Amino acid sequence: MVTRRTLGVLVALAIGAAAFGSTGQALAQDKPTVALIPGLTTDAFYITMHKGAQAAADELGAELIFQGGPEFNPTVQVPVLQAVIARQPDVILIAPTDKQQLIAPLRQAVDAGVKVITVDTFIDDGMYQDGAGEGDFPLSYIASDNVLGGRMAGEALGKAIGGTGKVYVSNVKPGISTTDQREEGFKAAMADFPDVEVLETQFNDNDANKAAAQVQAVFARNPDLAGVFGANLFSAIGAADGVKALGKTGEIRVVAFDTPARIVDDLKSGLIDIAIAQHPYDIGYEGVKAAVAVINGETVETSIGTGFTVMDAGNIDDPDVQARIYSE
Ligand code: T6T
């Protein structure tokens, strides 16, 4: 006799048989699976991106894996990528931590049948699917326009210092698409300020403490230092901390890229003049949307741009502006 209990067991066995092949190996899940590999996990920018990605995954019925390393560094990111490839998601969304060093490891993903889309940063020249270059195989690039963002920062800093004086870029390290492009845009904007001298870029390895110490060292050599552009979250926090430690708030002007929560106080106190918020939530959301489209056999744009919100002391209390402060 088939009792209620044995029926339950039979149903459970049937579900088990559907989920596992005769070898006991897991079969592909019904749900599309998307993996998001950030530049590093403990950065408010990527934490916010994760939220947007999760929102899209929930809406579209996709499974989202979020796996990353503790540092923005290809040596740390490549093993994470290899572990994710072994999990065989349908699509990998990744913020590659170096333009060149991630090309070959990402090629391995494609060879393993996993589709690749890059978010925030790109590999190679960032022009995908054009048949040119070793790294044209990702299907799409979803990000801010970083040259434009750097240009906006340059214009803001040039104006803040009255079009004259010495400035420098506090940057992470060469070879990262986003921060390289921000510096490029910043320097292009400075061409409109002939009386501004752009000093040598200081590279801080994504370490805010190092960036702060560099402000003090540059100031020691250039007591007439007028401004610093912090080209990402850690560079900007370090630049602000360095200026504060010198007691030069409002005298050495700071323009920040990225907007973690503490930016609010720094804008209000005049430590930072302007902060350029990216829209990482949208990058994550659009990333998963594009991934699911690809899984459904649709073609996606090879380049999808997201916007900016420029924050200053005058608008920082607006709810629309507050909404663009990154999550922690
Ligand atoms: O500025 C973002 C990101 O766009 C960049 O690629 C790396 O740094 C951040 O994550 C901020 O820390």
Side-chain angles (χ1 to χ4, degrees):
M1 190 176 85
V2 178
T3 61
R4 217 178 237 279
R5 192 177 133 72
T6 49
L7 184 63
V9 171
L10 287 173
V11 170
L13 284 173
I15 291 169
F20 291 88
S22 53
T23 59
Q25 276 183 325
L27 294 175
Q29 289 185 324
D30 286 345
K31 271 189 167 186
T33 307
V34 181
L36 171 58
I37 304 176
L40 73 163
T41 50
T42 55
D43 176 336
F45 174 83
Y46 295 112
I47 292 170
T48 311
M49 186 189 291
H50 182 197
K51 285 195 172 173
Q54 191 62 60
D58 293 345
E59 269 173 49
L60 300 169
E63 184 75 32
L64 181 70
I65 297 166
F66 182 73
Q67 204 169 326
E71 277 173 40
F72 195 98
N73 184 331
T75 316
V76 173
Q77 192 178 42
V78 169
V80 173
L81 169 61
Q82 287 163 344
V84 170
I85 295 171
R87 292 175 73 173
Q88 283 281 302
D90 295 301
V91 178
I92 288 177
L93 296 176
I94 183 168
T97 46
D98 186 276
K99 283 186 278 199
Q100 296 305 321
Q101 293 183 54
L102 266 292
I103 295 177
L106 281 170
R107 167 63 72 190
Q108 286 172 11
V110 175
D111 292 346
V114 181
K115 295 181 171 65
V116 173
I117 290 175
T118 75
V119 284
D120 177 42
T121 43
F122 59 71
I123 51 169
D124 209 354
D125 63 357
M127 311 290 269
Y128 298 156
Q129 302 292 312
D130 64 353
E134 290 290 295
D136 89 315
F137 55 84
L139 299 174
S140 187
Y141 170 52
I142 299 154
S144 313
D145 179 339
N146 287 289
V147 178
L148 174 66
R151 190 178 271 278
M152 288 158 59
E155 281 163 10
L157 190 56
K159 280 186 196 148
I161 62 171
T164 179
K166 292 179 181 170
V167 301
Y168 77 91
V169 182
S170 177
N171 212 339
V172 181
K173 60 186 151 196
I176 303 167
S177 70
T178 45
T179 46
D180 283 357
Q181 286 193 324
R182 290 170 202 164
E183 182 169 336
E184 181 192 325
F186 178 85
K187 288 184 171 166
M190 283 307 164
D192 292 337
F193 295 98
D195 296 328
V196 173
E197 185 184 344
V198 182
L199 303 171
E200 200 184 342
T201 296
Q202 301 294 306
F203 292 106
N204 55 51
D205 290 319
N206 225 23
D207 178 344
N209 292 331
K210 196 166 168 184
Q214 285 168 342
V215 176
Q216 310 203 25
V218 174
F219 177 73
R221 295 192 295 270
N222 303 275
D224 52 347
L225 180 67
V228 186
F229 167 40
N232 85 330
L233 188 150
F234 299 98
S235 308
I237 287 179
D241 285 347
V243 168
K244 194 173 184 184
L246 282 170
K248 294 281 175 192
T249 301
E251 284 177 58
I252 301 176
R253 315 300 284 265
V254 178
V255 169
F257 217 92
D258 292 314
T259 54
R262 69 160 265 185
I263 214 82
V264 179
D265 293 340
D266 291 351
L267 285 170
K268 286 184 175 169
S269 72
L271 182 55
I272 294 178
D273 277 275
I274 277 187
I276 298 172
Q278 303 188 72
H279 293 173
Y281 185 96
D282 298 359
I283 297 174
Y285 187 91
E286 293 299 328
V288 168
K289 223 172 104 181
V292 172
V294 160
I295 294 165
N296 291 336
E298 295 161 27
T299 39
V300 290
E301 297 289 330
T302 52
S303 175
I304 298 172
T306 53
F308 294 115
T309 299
V310 178
M311 303 184 180
D312 59 25
N315 71 8
I316 192 66
D317 288 326
D318 294 357
D320 289 355
V321 172
Q322 290 263 323
R324 294 297 182 178
I325 292 169
Y326 302 170
S327 312
E328 305 282 342

PDB file of all heavy atoms in Angstrom, residues 43 45-46 72 120-121 176 178 182 206 232-234 258 278, ligand 1:
ATOM      1  N   ASP A  43      34.789  46.629  -0.898  1.00  0.00           N
ATOM      2  CA  ASP A  43      34.773  47.990  -1.437  1.00  0.00           C
ATOM      3  C   ASP A  43      33.307  48.378  -1.625  1.00  0.00           C
ATOM      4  O   ASP A  43      32.541  47.655  -2.270  1.00  0.00           O
ATOM      5  CB  ASP A  43      35.536  47.932  -2.776  1.00  0.00           C
ATOM      6  CG  ASP A  43      35.560  49.227  -3.555  1.00  0.00           C
ATOM      7  OD1 ASP A  43      34.661  50.062  -3.366  1.00  0.00           O
ATOM      8  OD2 ASP A  43      36.469  49.377  -4.383  1.00  0.00           O
ATOM      9  N   PHE A  45      31.876  50.333  -3.447  1.00  0.00           N
ATOM     10  CA  PHE A  45      31.477  50.387  -4.863  1.00  0.00           C
ATOM     11  C   PHE A  45      30.957  49.019  -5.322  1.00  0.00           C
ATOM     12  O   PHE A  45      29.881  48.915  -5.922  1.00  0.00           O
ATOM     13  CB  PHE A  45      32.687  50.828  -5.707  1.00  0.00           C
ATOM     14  CG  PHE A  45      32.458  50.778  -7.193  1.00  0.00           C
ATOM     15  CD1 PHE A  45      31.829  51.823  -7.855  1.00  0.00           C
ATOM     16  CD2 PHE A  45      32.874  49.679  -7.937  1.00  0.00           C
ATOM     17  CE1 PHE A  45      31.609  51.781  -9.227  1.00  0.00           C
ATOM     18  CE2 PHE A  45      32.672  49.623  -9.307  1.00  0.00           C
ATOM     19  CZ  PHE A  45      32.039  50.678  -9.952  1.00  0.00           C
ATOM     20  N   TYR A  46      31.703  47.952  -5.019  1.00  0.00           N
ATOM     21  CA  TYR A  46      31.285  46.611  -5.474  1.00  0.00           C
ATOM     22  C   TYR A  46      30.164  46.034  -4.597  1.00  0.00           C
ATOM     23  O   TYR A  46      29.386  45.213  -5.061  1.00  0.00           O
ATOM     24  CB  TYR A  46      32.486  45.659  -5.520  1.00  0.00           C
ATOM     25  CG  TYR A  46      33.519  46.079  -6.543  1.00  0.00           C
ATOM     26  CD1 TYR A  46      34.769  46.536  -6.154  1.00  0.00           C
ATOM     27  CD2 TYR A  46      33.235  46.044  -7.908  1.00  0.00           C
ATOM     28  CE1 TYR A  46      35.715  46.941  -7.085  1.00  0.00           C
ATOM     29  CE2 TYR A  46      34.174  46.453  -8.849  1.00  0.00           C
ATOM     30  CZ  TYR A  46      35.412  46.896  -8.430  1.00  0.00           C
ATOM     31  OH  TYR A  46      36.333  47.306  -9.365  1.00  0.00           O
ATOM     32  N   PHE A  72      42.401  44.351  -4.637  1.00  0.00           N
ATOM     33  CA  PHE A  72      42.274  44.658  -6.070  1.00  0.00           C
ATOM     34  C   PHE A  72      43.615  44.319  -6.722  1.00  0.00           C
ATOM     35  O   PHE A  72      44.525  45.158  -6.800  1.00  0.00           O
ATOM     36  CB  PHE A  72      41.940  46.147  -6.253  1.00  0.00           C
ATOM     37  CG  PHE A  72      41.448  46.497  -7.625  1.00  0.00           C
ATOM     38  CD1 PHE A  72      40.093  46.607  -7.883  1.00  0.00           C
ATOM     39  CD2 PHE A  72      42.336  46.716  -8.672  1.00  0.00           C
ATOM     40  CE1 PHE A  72      39.623  46.939  -9.152  1.00  0.00           C
ATOM     41  CE2 PHE A  72      41.887  47.052  -9.938  1.00  0.00           C
ATOM     42  CZ  PHE A  72      40.530  47.163 -10.182  1.00  0.00           C
ATOM     43  N   ASP A 120      32.419  47.437 -14.989  1.00  0.00           N
ATOM     44  CA  ASP A 120      33.306  48.429 -14.389  1.00  0.00           C
ATOM     45  C   ASP A 120      34.603  48.592 -15.185  1.00  0.00           C
ATOM     46  O   ASP A 120      34.850  49.643 -15.742  1.00  0.00           O
ATOM     47  CB  ASP A 120      33.580  48.104 -12.909  1.00  0.00           C
ATOM     48  CG  ASP A 120      34.563  49.062 -12.272  1.00  0.00           C
ATOM     49  OD1 ASP A 120      34.444  50.267 -12.533  1.00  0.00           O
ATOM     50  OD2 ASP A 120      35.449  48.612 -11.512  1.00  0.00           O
ATOM     51  N   THR A 121      35.427  47.552 -15.218  1.00  0.00           N
ATOM     52  CA  THR A 121      36.709  47.621 -15.927  1.00  0.00           C
ATOM     53  C   THR A 121      36.657  46.739 -17.177  1.00  0.00           C
ATOM     54  O   THR A 121      35.823  45.849 -17.281  1.00  0.00           O
ATOM     55  CB  THR A 121      37.844  47.110 -15.026  1.00  0.00           C
ATOM     56  OG1 THR A 121      37.373  45.938 -14.366  1.00  0.00           O
ATOM     57  CG2 THR A 121      38.261  48.130 -13.987  1.00  0.00           C
ATOM     58  N   ILE A 176      45.044  49.526 -14.935  1.00  0.00           N
ATOM     59  CA  ILE A 176      43.626  49.341 -14.610  1.00  0.00           C
ATOM     60  C   ILE A 176      42.839  50.261 -15.546  1.00  0.00           C
ATOM     61  O   ILE A 176      43.095  51.476 -15.585  1.00  0.00           O
ATOM     62  CB  ILE A 176      43.333  49.723 -13.141  1.00  0.00           C
ATOM     63  CG1 ILE A 176      44.215  48.915 -12.187  1.00  0.00           C
ATOM     64  CG2 ILE A 176      41.851  49.543 -12.821  1.00  0.00           C
ATOM     65  CD1 ILE A 176      44.210  49.441 -10.748  1.00  0.00           C
ATOM     66  N   THR A 178      39.807  51.600 -15.741  1.00  0.00           N
ATOM     67  CA  THR A 178      39.020  52.720 -15.217  1.00  0.00           C
ATOM     68  C   THR A 178      39.900  53.881 -14.755  1.00  0.00           C
ATOM     69  O   THR A 178      39.709  55.022 -15.165  1.00  0.00           O
ATOM     70  CB  THR A 178      38.200  52.253 -14.003  1.00  0.00           C
ATOM     71  OG1 THR A 178      39.057  51.477 -13.163  1.00  0.00           O
ATOM     72  CG2 THR A 178      36.991  51.443 -14.415  1.00  0.00           C
ATOM     73  N   ARG A 182      40.454  57.669 -16.178  1.00  0.00           N
ATOM     74  CA  ARG A 182      40.125  58.875 -15.398  1.00  0.00           C
ATOM     75  C   ARG A 182      41.293  59.856 -15.427  1.00  0.00           C
ATOM     76  O   ARG A 182      41.111  61.057 -15.554  1.00  0.00           O
ATOM     77  CB  ARG A 182      39.773  58.482 -13.950  1.00  0.00           C
ATOM     78  CG  ARG A 182      38.453  57.765 -13.877  1.00  0.00           C
ATOM     79  CD  ARG A 182      38.193  57.155 -12.505  1.00  0.00           C
ATOM     80  NE  ARG A 182      37.225  56.075 -12.638  1.00  0.00           N
ATOM     81  CZ  ARG A 182      36.991  55.145 -11.735  1.00  0.00           C
ATOM     82  NH1 ARG A 182      37.646  55.159 -10.582  1.00  0.00           N
ATOM     83  NH2 ARG A 182      36.100  54.198 -11.961  1.00  0.00           N
ATOM     84  N   ASN A 206      45.875  51.176  -4.097  1.00  0.00           N
ATOM     85  CA  ASN A 206      44.526  51.080  -3.501  1.00  0.00           C
ATOM     86  C   ASN A 206      44.564  51.130  -1.975  1.00  0.00           C
ATOM     87  O   ASN A 206      43.696  50.575  -1.312  1.00  0.00           O
ATOM     88  CB  ASN A 206      43.815  49.789  -3.953  1.00  0.00           C
ATOM     89  CG  ASN A 206      42.374  50.049  -4.360  1.00  0.00           C
ATOM     90  OD1 ASN A 206      42.008  51.165  -4.710  1.00  0.00           O
ATOM     91  ND2 ASN A 206      41.550  49.013  -4.306  1.00  0.00           N
ATOM     92  N   ASN A 232      39.939  57.192  -7.325  1.00  0.00           N
ATOM     93  CA  ASN A 232      38.947  56.169  -6.948  1.00  0.00           C
ATOM     94  C   ASN A 232      38.693  56.292  -5.450  1.00  0.00           C
ATOM     95  O   ASN A 232      39.275  57.152  -4.781  1.00  0.00           O
ATOM     96  CB  ASN A 232      39.380  54.747  -7.361  1.00  0.00           C
ATOM     97  CG  ASN A 232      40.289  54.084  -6.352  1.00  0.00           C
ATOM     98  OD1 ASN A 232      41.043  54.735  -5.647  1.00  0.00           O
ATOM     99  ND2 ASN A 232      40.230  52.768  -6.281  1.00  0.00           N
ATOM    100  N   LEU A 233      37.853  55.431  -4.944  1.00  0.00           N
ATOM    101  CA  LEU A 233      37.401  55.547  -3.548  1.00  0.00           C
ATOM    102  C   LEU A 233      38.564  55.641  -2.551  1.00  0.00           C
ATOM    103  O   LEU A 233      38.612  56.557  -1.715  1.00  0.00           O
ATOM    104  CB  LEU A 233      36.505  54.340  -3.247  1.00  0.00           C
ATOM    105  CG  LEU A 233      35.740  54.288  -1.935  1.00  0.00           C
ATOM    106  CD1 LEU A 233      34.444  53.494  -2.132  1.00  0.00           C
ATOM    107  CD2 LEU A 233      36.555  53.637  -0.848  1.00  0.00           C
ATOM    108  N   PHE A 234      39.524  54.727  -2.629  1.00  0.00           N
ATOM    109  CA  PHE A 234      40.606  54.695  -1.642  1.00  0.00           C
ATOM    110  C   PHE A 234      41.585  55.855  -1.854  1.00  0.00           C
ATOM    111  O   PHE A 234      42.109  56.423  -0.886  1.00  0.00           O
ATOM    112  CB  PHE A 234      41.306  53.335  -1.664  1.00  0.00           C
ATOM    113  CG  PHE A 234      40.349  52.225  -1.318  1.00  0.00           C
ATOM    114  CD1 PHE A 234      39.751  51.458  -2.315  1.00  0.00           C
ATOM    115  CD2 PHE A 234      39.974  51.994  -0.002  1.00  0.00           C
ATOM    116  CE1 PHE A 234      38.826  50.461  -2.010  1.00  0.00           C
ATOM    117  CE2 PHE A 234      39.048  51.006   0.321  1.00  0.00           C
ATOM    118  CZ  PHE A 234      38.473  50.236  -0.684  1.00  0.00           C
ATOM    119  N   ASP A 258      34.101  58.540  -6.698  1.00  0.00           N
ATOM    120  CA  ASP A 258      33.428  57.553  -5.831  1.00  0.00           C
ATOM    121  C   ASP A 258      32.886  58.194  -4.552  1.00  0.00           C
ATOM    122  O   ASP A 258      33.447  59.165  -4.041  1.00  0.00           O
ATOM    123  CB  ASP A 258      34.325  56.353  -5.469  1.00  0.00           C
ATOM    124  CG  ASP A 258      34.615  55.490  -6.688  1.00  0.00           C
ATOM    125  OD1 ASP A 258      33.668  55.185  -7.430  1.00  0.00           O
ATOM    126  OD2 ASP A 258      35.792  55.135  -6.902  1.00  0.00           O
ATOM    127  N   GLN A 278      29.663  57.236  -9.172  1.00  0.00           N
ATOM    128  CA  GLN A 278      29.274  56.334 -10.261  1.00  0.00           C
ATOM    129  C   GLN A 278      27.937  55.717  -9.854  1.00  0.00           C
ATOM    130  O   GLN A 278      27.462  55.909  -8.735  1.00  0.00           O
ATOM    131  CB  GLN A 278      30.308  55.233 -10.435  1.00  0.00           C
ATOM    132  CG  GLN A 278      31.710  55.732 -10.702  1.00  0.00           C
ATOM    133  CD  GLN A 278      32.628  54.569 -11.044  1.00  0.00           C
ATOM    134  OE1 GLN A 278      32.557  53.985 -12.109  1.00  0.00           O
ATOM    135  NE2 GLN A 278      33.502  54.223 -10.113  1.00  0.00           N
TER     136      GLN A 278
HETATM  137  O1  T6T B   1      36.351  53.344  -8.601  1.00  0.00           O
HETATM  138  C1  T6T B   1      35.878  52.046  -8.361  1.00  0.00           C
HETATM  139  C2  T6T B   1      35.996  51.247  -9.622  1.00  0.00           C
HETATM  140  O2  T6T B   1      35.313  51.911 -10.659  1.00  0.00           O
HETATM  141  C3  T6T B   1      37.481  51.072 -10.012  1.00  0.00           C
HETATM  142  O3  T6T B   1      37.586  50.255 -11.135  1.00  0.00           O
HETATM  143  C4  T6T B   1      38.267  50.507  -8.856  1.00  0.00           C
HETATM  144  O4  T6T B   1      38.064  51.284  -7.703  1.00  0.00           O
HETATM  145  C5  T6T B   1      36.716  51.398  -7.269  1.00  0.00           C
HETATM  146  O5  T6T B   1      36.227  50.122  -6.976  1.00  0.00           O
HETATM  147  C6  T6T B   1      36.637  52.211  -5.983  1.00  0.00           C
HETATM  148  O6  T6T B   1      37.438  51.680  -4.986  1.00  0.00           O
END
